[in-house]
Amino acid sequence: MPLDVKPDLKREFDVVGTRPLRPDGIDKVTGRARFGADATAPGMLVGRILRSPHAHARIRGIDTSKAEQLAGVKAIITRDDLPDHSNGDRATYDILYNCMAREKALYEGHAVAAVAAVSAAVARQALKLIEVDYEVLPHVTDVDAAMKPDAPVIHDDIFTEGVEPKPDKPSNVARRSEFGHGDVEAGFREADVVISRSYKTEATHQGYIEPHACLASVSPDGSGELWVCTQGHFMIRNVSSQVLGMEISRLRVTASEIGGGFGGKTHVWMEPIALALSRKANRPVKVVMSRDEVFKATGPTSSTSIDVKIGAKKDGTIVAAEAILRYQGGAFIGSWADLGAMTAFACYDLRNVRTVGYDVIVNRPKTAAYRAPSAPMAAFAVESTVDELAHKLGLEPIDFRIRNAAREGTRSSYGPTYGPIGIGATLSAAKNHPHMSAPLGNNQGRGMACGFWFNFGGQTCTSLNINLDGTIALSVGTPDIGGSRASMCLMAAEELGIPYEKVRCVVADTSSLGYNDVTDGSRVTFSSGMATILAARDAIKKLCGRAAQMWGISEEAVIWEKGYAKPAGPNAGEFPPLSLKEIAAAAATTGGPIAGHHEFNADGAGVSFATHIVDVEVDRETGATRILRYTVLQDAGKAVHPAYVEGQFQGGAAQGIGWALNEEYVYGEDGRLQNAGFLDYRIPVCSDLPMIDTVILEIPNPKHPYGVRGVGETSIVPPLAAIANAVSNAVGVRMTHIPMSPPRILKALEGRS
Amino acid sequence: MPAVHVTTTVNGDRLDYVCESDETLLDCLRDRLGLTGAKEGCGTGDCGACSIILDGRLVCSCLVLGVEAENREIETVEGLAEGDNLHPLQRKFLEHAALQCGICTPGILMAAKALLDRNPSPTEEEIRFGLAGNLCRCTGYDKIVRAVQDAAKELQGA
Amino acid sequence: MRYEAPVSLEAASALLAEAPAQSFVLAGGTDLLVRMKGGFVEPELIVDIKHIPDLQELRLDKDGFVIGAAVPCAALGENVELSAQWPGVVEAANLIGSKQIQGRCTIVGNLCNASPAADSVPALVTAAAKVRIRGRKGTRTVAIETIPVGPGKTSLAKGEFIEAVLLEKRRPRSADAYLRFIPRSEMDIAVVSAGVDLERDKAGVITKARVALGAVAPTVMLVEAAAAAIIGSKLEDKALTALAEACSAACQPINDKRGTVEFRTKVAGVLARRAAQIAYQRAGER
């Protein structure tokens, strides 16, 4: 149902597009802001979780008797305390199973039991006293190995979906998905040059600096409160209630400030356990994960194995493109390969394209989203192949892409037809950017790559209340992970025509606002923003109504202009304009408090494209790679707060750089994670990076009143390939295994010589 | 093991707490003194989110025992501002949008202060190496470095 | 867990001599606390040596430098004389961890933790450093390379602790350098490291050399064949190649999450070569 959302492309904004200070900033620079682990409650207990040391094991029995005797232990939870309320819904059952192991432990770190005790020391001691009888089973952690016929089958009730005929034997291949159009075989026959390559990427973690933390307090009447760092407190409420068999309205969840999420905090992890402990102990229970637990028992990315084949004619037109993508989703069913298969060729206008995804189960923690989930790996494979093809054809990589880039009207490789999109603009901006002509020395090389992300809409509610003094209290339901409260205030202020400082935005708890989907899919500035704009317009209608009342004229005769109600024309009457403040001051006598609100399922989030350029220097004798220069060019639709858009571009690029060069999950033969800490899981430090230059392009999204597109995710998609392409241009080796760590690059260099 | 009574100075105030001998200073600051500005990001000295200044030296408070604070001088992020006057570093971080989620910010502010206390006119490289012990996952460090450069200029009276 | 902070060497000695099995000396704590939190050790007694005045000093006396066991690595870099005479040692000490770690960690702690990848140890070995050990009966002084005997193991007897590291005064026309390989630019544990100390005559011919490698064997390796490869040369390409090959040949590295055997073997030679070139140039400037 189309609302009045079509953007006025000629609109001059008053405050949108400026760079005011964010409202939550002062608390964050003074240490006053309260994150997940910063809350306390009287009588609070410390909760700790016992985790499987085995990658795959049947749990024959759990004996908690000795732990129960320990002084200071107030509650112990095992699978016996968590009955199955899923009613046959597999997704809910899997969440329950992931929160705490049932028949089997499915990965090292899988929760097996939990205690609540009066201190951390007692809780630690209690865990040591819990005896678990494991029958260790064969495990598999590699995605390709898990697909082999002789691999240990992890779930005996998973039969591959999406294949005909349906298999009669269970396997680790949960599903097969396929996208595309045209006839790729015919296309390849037409091609003058075809490149076929296989790639591997290792698993990574979102690496947020704040470990998961929550404080749960459940009363004997079954009502509960939860303070938690999360990207979706409404989701936490709904899922925790379902898992524990509580009524949704009995659980009130408050989102704390969140110390990073990037998709990893869009699920429940230990929250239902904290609630269950609190329910049993009848006292508040605080559960904070250690960094070791974060790596082992939250949601890293898939590791992947991808085959790409692209064919083109001599003139540089791509005539066929195909990708087979194998992604592991950890120990439970996920649709990660699905997303990879959808995004792989999304940047291009292709006559013949086919992508096939296999979602595979392995003995690893359950995969969660990480900023444009599944897209970086697919883009790595495709953009590396595109570069190689360009070189083979004797074309500049950027020109090859410009020639084949998707545009408005292109039928995307994953189905829908594109409206106005920004990839062409980012490519020409890149081509003309001074970075392209910066000088390069020995062992230095330049690479580029493109990236895409869909961006999401989703269920969203916003409430806007006008205070007695004309200031605005804005309540949104999407946790602020990147500075979105500032953008919401800008949009409300813009609509109402008042100064930005007059608007304060809070993230309301689940009892104070209607349901909101999680903060993900780069959706907040688009969805909560649109809801804010529409709530403001709703409030404006009411303000006009009050002015009409105060003037004794009809409502249709009142207009709103830059913060004032005005008579619509000379016939309406000679009244001086009424400010928002004046109308607010009189509210009690004109009908009571004035508010606007909006609830909807936002639709029409614009896709966002980016082009990245990177210069690297490779030390030929050690394989060490240094980033010299980095430029992000991305379409934001409309940059509501440009500094925060730049921040998203830079942050995503930095994560992509870490992913490309050093970050990986290292597993031993025993299926155990060897680098579950920030020492050996190496994320970029300040001295690893140069300044990251950003260019914000604005091709408005026709489905948002200001043209906003999501921006947060796309910029993690190009770096892997951009850097691989730069390394290839610097020292002549084509890296097909991510991360391109020094030992891998050195080995490739030595293999060549 | 009997609990230990510690007397220490935090942000200029003489304070006392009682703790176990194996508790870290980070835990004591957060749980005994209620100063939750310093954060635990890793517990092993690899992320810098718990950074404080101890007797003039930048340290990870997760690797200092609470009992070691006896008669020492501690500076935390809560003491950076003077009354309602923010420290130039705090102001510049806000102006330059040098924080997104803000979890690393207290530690980075202390590291930046320790850097500028010893090296009032650092080069970009010196800033980057001076902050290398503080992980930030959100910003890519660009705006943080610019904020520190700008704060250094202001503190030098430029 | 008992925490003691003695204020004299004798008191510390007495505590450690009668100490229960799980007793540890605490200086910087940057290894000990990590091991405690990881559940690898459960100390019954911790003896904090930072309150002993003798151990807090870094001084230059007539015989050379005396670096007390409680001196943090950051203080080494702040000492003008030490940085001028032993830049390799100072660089090595200031590469450990981050600024936060360097504000607390000590070279004695780094040595006694006995990690094969310890950063300060190869540089101290090439510097022919000595350590003064205190026990119940007094002190003894030994070459630093006799201390680490295996990963996590030292040659110290029960009740003994190291009270100082001793470095000679810098000889004319000699210099040291230390390089390590890490994948990032800071923060990482060395994947492989090399220290070189050499002396040259007035004509530029190398007359003495010591070459040590880290993270390629259970303990630091002093590679005599590598030193021999450059003694008598002016560090021409041929000598450098021989140096690198001798280092690679001497390595006994393992495959682990930080590096492979081939990588460490190759890069040990590369770093030794580069460190030798830096030391040679520094020596020419003295």
Side-chain angles (χ1 to χ4, degrees):
Chain A
M1 175 214 88
L3 305 150
D4 172 25
V5 294
K6 217 164 148 47
D8 172 4
L9 301 184
K10 305 239 185 345
R11 180 172 181 165
E12 298 260 319
F13 291 96
D14 291 320
V15 292
V16 160
T18 61
R19 297 168 183 251
L21 298 191
R22 59 195 283 171
D24 55 309
I26 287 213
D27 282 355
K28 289 186 171 170
V29 298
T30 55
R32 245 202 308 269
R34 291 179 349 127
F35 291 82
D38 296 336
T40 56
M44 186 175 84
L45 301 171
V46 174
R48 284 268 198 278
I49 299 176
L50 182 67
R51 297 182 179 282
S52 167
H54 305 293
H56 194 194
R58 188 170 318 280
I59 300 172
R60 287 194 283 233
I62 307 176
D63 182 355
T64 60
S65 54
K66 294 203 186 81
E68 284 163 37
Q69 314 279 354
L70 185 65
V73 170
K74 301 300 180 187
I76 303 186
I77 299 279
T78 67
R79 57 194 175 178
D80 298 332
D81 297 285
L82 298 170
D84 177 9
H85 295 285
S86 65
N87 285 330
D89 174 45
R90 181 154 200 147
T92 305
Y93 182 74
D94 281 355
I95 292 172
L96 171 67
Y97 205 135
N98 195 39
C99 284
M100 189 160 282
R102 300 179 82 75
E103 306 84 60
K104 299 197 288 181
L106 298 172
Y107 54 92
E108 183 216 12
H110 200 167
V112 167
V115 307
V118 295
S119 73
V122 173
R124 260 197 314 269
Q125 186 59 21
L127 290 187
K128 286 194 196 149
L129 295 173
I130 298 176
E131 290 165 1
V132 184
D133 182 12
Y134 292 107
E135 176 196 335
V136 178
L137 301 169
H139 63 271
V140 59
T141 53
D142 178 73
V143 61
D144 288 323
M147 292 178 77
K148 295 210 167 76
D150 58 351
V153 174
I154 297 170
H155 295 278
D156 56 18
D157 60 350
I158 289 182
F159 300 83
T160 312
E161 269 185 37
V163 302
E164 291 299 327
K166 196 172 161 78
D168 54 9
K169 282 221 290 273
S171 78
N172 296 319
V173 183
R175 56 189 268 170
R176 177 191 186 282
S177 52
E178 183 167 331
F179 299 89
H181 55 261
D183 180 347
V184 290
E185 271 83 26
F188 284 124
R189 281 195 294 276
E190 264 185 63
D192 293 319
V193 180
V194 176
I195 304 238
S196 256
R197 223 148 295 287
S198 293
Y199 303 86
K200 270 185 93 73
T201 73
E202 299 299 338
T204 58
H205 193 274
Q206 302 83 353
Y208 32 83
I209 306 303
E210 177 199 35
H212 300 257
C214 70
L215 174 57
S217 186
V218 180
S219 306
D221 70 347
S223 58
E225 297 197 341
L226 184 70
W227 165 272
V228 57
C229 57
T230 176
Q231 291 172 246
H233 46 315
F234 289 87
M235 171 279 300
I236 298 246
R237 181 193 65 174
N238 284 15
V239 174
S240 299
S241 306
Q242 271 173 299
V243 164
L244 296 171
M246 287 170 80
E247 262 175 40
I248 286 180
S249 64
R250 283 190 180 271
L251 180 57
R252 177 179 192 169
V253 183
T254 303
S256 70
E257 295 295 338
I258 176 174
F262 316 112
K265 289 180 179 162
T266 57
H267 307 274
V268 301
W269 300 106
M270 76 311 180
E271 295 82 3
I273 303 300
L275 287 161
L277 282 169
S278 178
R279 186 169 59 181
K280 198 165 183 188
N282 191 18
R283 280 169 70 165
V285 175
K286 184 167 173 178
V287 179
V288 179
M289 282 195 178
S290 68
R291 180 54 53 184
D292 184 84
E293 288 179 289
V294 172
F295 276 112
K296 286 180 178 161
T298 59
T301 65
S302 304
S303 46
T304 73
S305 165
I306 303 174
D307 310 317
V308 171
K309 183 173 169 187
I310 309 182
K313 298 201 76 72
K314 274 200 287 278
D315 69 357
T317 310
I318 297 176
V319 285
E322 183 177 70
I324 317 288
L325 309 104
R326 295 169 289 275
Y327 283 53
Q328 55 85 359
F332 297 93
I333 300 173
S335 48
W336 308 105
D338 206 277
L339 286 171
M342 290 171 81
T343 59
F345 292 110
C347 291
Y348 297 102
D349 181 4
L350 302 168
R351 263 180 287 148
N352 306 300
V353 58
R354 176 168 74 209
T355 58
V356 176
Y358 291 97
D359 273 293
V360 180
I361 307 234
V362 296
N363 292 114
R364 292 191 189 211
K366 185 177 182 199
T367 297
Y370 177 17
R371 209 165 195 157
S374 301
M377 309 81 139
F380 165 63
V382 169
E383 288 296 284
S384 295
T385 311
V386 164
D387 232 56
E388 211 183 324
L389 194 46
H391 283 303
K392 196 130 188 220
L393 290 165
L395 296 169
E396 283 297 318
I398 192 156
D399 292 327
F400 184 56
R401 286 176 176 82
I402 288 173
R403 192 186 177 84
N404 291 286
R407 59 190 77 85
E408 183 169 358
T410 293
R411 182 172 174 200
S412 71
S413 55
Y414 64 98
T417 300
Y418 290 131
I421 55 174
I423 185 171
T426 66
L427 282 165
S428 13
K431 189 171 164 135
N432 295 317
H433 194 277
H435 184 157
M436 283 303 203
S437 42
L440 288 169
N442 283 335
N443 299 321
Q444 297 182 351
R446 180 163 300 144
M448 57 147 300
C450 294
F452 157 90
W453 189 246
F454 317 87
N455 303 321
F456 289 98
Q459 300 188 70
T460 313
C461 297
T462 295
S463 169
L464 186 153
N465 288 278
I466 302 179
N467 299 319
L468 185 61
D469 62 356
T471 59
I472 307 297
L474 181 62
S475 295
V476 299
T478 41
D480 181 353
I481 63 175
S484 52
R485 273 166 293 190
S487 302
M488 300 303 127
C489 293
L490 281 168
M491 289 184 271
E494 186 74 43
E495 285 298 309
L496 293 168
I498 60 176
Y500 163 82
E501 293 73 25
K502 298 293 183 192
V503 185
R504 301 307 276 187
C505 178
V506 297
V507 176
D509 68 46
T510 58
S511 297
S512 311
L513 198 59
Y515 183 82
N516 277 265
D517 276 330
V518 303
T519 290
D520 73 350
S522 308
R523 79 179 206 89
V524 171
T525 309
F526 173 76
S527 309
S528 277
M530 181 146 55
T532 296
I533 292 166
L534 296 172
R537 291 180 183 175
D538 184 30
I540 286 170
K541 271 201 12 222
K542 292 163 185 173
L543 286 162
C544 290
R546 301 299 179 94
Q549 221 184 314
M550 288 159 83
W551 290 328
I553 63 177
S554 116
E555 205 172 305
E556 285 78 49
V558 181
I559 57 162
W560 188 266
E561 206 176 274
K562 295 208 188 282
Y564 289 86
K566 295 181 175 168
N571 294 336
E574 289 287 322
F575 298 105
L578 272 171
S579 71
L580 188 151
K581 190 169 170 177
E582 288 167 313
I583 302 173
T589 61
T590 60
I594 308 174
H597 62 97
H598 196 73
E599 304 78 39
F600 70 147
N601 199 342
D603 192 20
V607 298
S608 176
F609 289 90
T611 297
H612 289 199
I613 315 168
V614 60
D615 294 348
V616 305
E617 179 178 306
V618 181
D619 182 334
R620 281 184 187 273
E621 292 188 300
T622 64
T625 303
R626 220 162 41 98
I627 307 288
L628 302 170
R629 227 171 261 113
Y630 204 101
T631 306
V632 175
L633 304 102
Q634 184 175 334
D635 172 19
K638 173 71 196 167
V640 173
H641 192 310
Y644 288 108
V645 174
E646 289 162 1
Q648 291 302 310
F649 289 3
Q650 293 166 333
Q655 289 178 324
I657 290 168
W659 194 333
L661 292 179
N662 270 316
E663 294 178 39
E664 62 179 304
Y665 265 48
V666 179
Y667 277 89
E669 291 289 311
D670 56 4
R672 291 183 179 151
L673 184 59
Q674 299 195 334
N675 60 335
F678 278 136
L679 179 62
D680 290 308
Y681 182 85
R682 294 181 275 265
I683 81 175
V685 299
C686 194
S687 43
D688 289 334
L689 300 175
M691 296 294 188
I692 300 174
D693 290 330
T694 58
V695 175
I696 302 175
L697 290 115
E698 292 180 320
I699 289 88
N701 171 13
K703 304 262 178 69
H704 184 279
Y706 298 168
V708 164
R709 295 176 190 270
V711 297
E713 292 172 279
T714 306
S715 85
I716 201 176
V717 181
L720 280 60
I723 292 170
N725 293 337
V727 167
S728 172
N729 292 329
V731 290
V733 288
R734 171 52 62 186
M735 301 305 295
T736 56
H737 192 169
I738 289 284
M740 294 172 271
S741 56
R744 291 197 179 114
I745 291 187
L746 192 61
K747 189 164 180 175
L749 282 167
E750 300 195 313
R752 230 177 56 105
S753 59
Chain B
M1 68 192 112
V4 180
H5 180 179
V6 175
T7 303
T8 188
T9 303
V10 182
N11 300 325
D13 297 326
R14 255 354 240 140
L15 297 174
D16 297 79
Y17 55 82
V18 171
C19 68
E20 304 292 341
S21 55
D22 62 353
E23 269 182 61
T24 64
L25 178 57
L26 176 64
D27 288 337
C28 293
L29 287 169
R30 290 177 54 81
D31 301 335
R32 306 287 179 188
L33 294 177
L35 293 167
T36 56
K39 309 293 181 196
E40 175 153 331
C42 71
T44 50
D46 298 310
C47 77
C50 66
S51 299
I52 57 154
I53 296 174
L54 177 64
D55 283 355
R57 285 208 185 279
L58 183 71
V59 301
C60 282
S61 59
C62 74
L63 293 185
V64 178
L65 292 174
V67 294
E68 292 185 75
E70 179 72 22
N71 284 331
R72 303 254 160 263
E73 305 233 347
I74 295 169
E75 295 167 67
T76 72
V77 71
E78 288 92 343
L80 264 188
E82 274 173 30
D84 61 355
N85 281 324
L86 294 179
H87 188 283
L89 277 167
Q90 290 170 309
R91 268 191 286 108
K92 293 303 175 187
F93 265 57
L94 290 175
E95 281 166 32
H96 285 267
L99 58 140
Q100 287 179 32
C101 80
I103 195 87
C104 74
T105 306
I108 284 204
L109 284 169
M110 298 317 287
K113 176 177 189 287
L115 171 73
L116 295 182
D117 282 348
R118 285 169 192 274
N119 182 356
S121 297
T123 62
E124 180 185 334
E125 193 177 15
E126 285 169 334
I127 294 174
R128 287 187 178 277
F129 277 94
L131 298 181
N134 291 77
L135 300 182
C136 173
R137 196 53 159 168
C138 291
T139 67
Y141 307 102
D142 182 298
K143 293 178 189 298
I144 291 175
V145 173
R146 292 181 201 275
V148 175
Q149 287 171 324
D150 202 7
K153 277 220 273 289
E154 180 177 313
L155 286 164
Q156 290 290 89
Chain C
M1 185 188 91
R2 215 172 101 221
Y3 167 86
E4 298 284 353
V7 297
S8 74
L9 291 165
E10 293 70 30
S13 247
L15 277 167
L16 288 167
E18 278 131 31
Q22 291 299 312
S23 301
F24 296 85
V25 172
L26 173 68
T30 52
D31 284 319
L32 180 59
L33 265 73
V34 174
R35 285 157 66 209
M36 278 166 62
K37 283 151 171 243
F40 299 108
V41 297
E42 283 181 33
E44 295 164 78
L45 167 68
I46 284 189
V47 178
D48 184 348
I49 58 168
K50 296 193 291 295
H51 299 264
I52 302 171
D54 280 348
L55 304 188
Q56 296 162 6
E57 268 196 307
L58 196 195
R59 66 175 196 279
L60 174 58
D61 65 21
K62 61 175 175 49
D63 296 320
F65 292 92
V66 180
I67 304 170
V71 174
C73 286
L76 300 182
E78 290 156 10
N79 186 289
V80 173
E81 273 307 319
L82 188 65
S83 301
Q85 297 194 28
W86 292 101
V89 169
V90 170
E91 279 158 358
N94 284 353
L95 281 171
I96 301 173
S98 57
K99 294 276 181 276
Q100 287 89 336
I101 300 295
Q102 289 151 31
R104 295 275 292 174
C105 69
T106 62
I107 51 178
V108 173
N110 197 222
L111 177 70
C112 294
N113 191 45
S115 158
D119 269 313
S120 65
V121 181
L124 288 166
V125 167
T126 56
K130 296 191 170 51
V131 290
R132 192 167 64 225
I133 302 167
R134 177 163 294 267
R136 210 65 222 270
K137 303 193 194 120
T139 64
R140 59 189 181 96
T141 299
V142 302
I144 202 163
E145 58 263 33
T146 66
I147 298 295
V149 298
K153 294 190 173 54
T154 70
S155 59
L156 296 173
K158 178 167 161 58
E160 289 188 314
F161 66 97
I162 294 176
E163 59 176 38
V165 172
L166 310 170
L167 284 169
E168 286 178 354
K169 281 218 258 275
R170 182 37 88 186
R171 303 174 312 278
R173 291 187 303 276
S174 73
D176 67 345
Y178 172 82
L179 290 175
R180 68 170 186 179
F181 184 86
I182 51 169
R184 292 182 290 184
S185 54
E186 271 287 277
M187 293 304 283
D188 293 326
I189 298 283
V191 180
V192 51
S193 65
V196 175
D197 185 284
L198 53 80
E199 186 174 324
R200 43 194 280 185
D201 67 17
K202 292 200 169 95
V205 176
I206 295 172
T207 55
K208 291 203 185 99
R210 281 167 75 86
V211 177
L213 298 177
V216 293
T219 63
V220 61
M221 299 185 85
L222 189 57
V223 187
E224 278 159 19
I230 59 175
I231 289 173
S233 81
K234 286 188 183 179
L235 220 54
E236 309 88 353
D237 283 351
K238 198 165 136 200
L240 285 169
T241 304
L243 166 71
E245 284 172 357
C247 284
S248 295
C251 285
Q252 310 151 20
I254 57 171
N255 276 330
D256 69 10
K257 63 198 170 206
R258 296 177 188 140
T260 58
V261 166
E262 328 145 287
F263 183 78
R264 289 179 157 120
T265 303
K266 165 92 200 284
V267 177
V270 172
L271 293 182
R273 183 161 36 80
R274 292 177 182 180
Q277 288 171 305
I278 296 170
Y280 188 75
Q281 173 148 8
R282 283 177 176 161
E285 290 159 5
R286 298 191 66 88

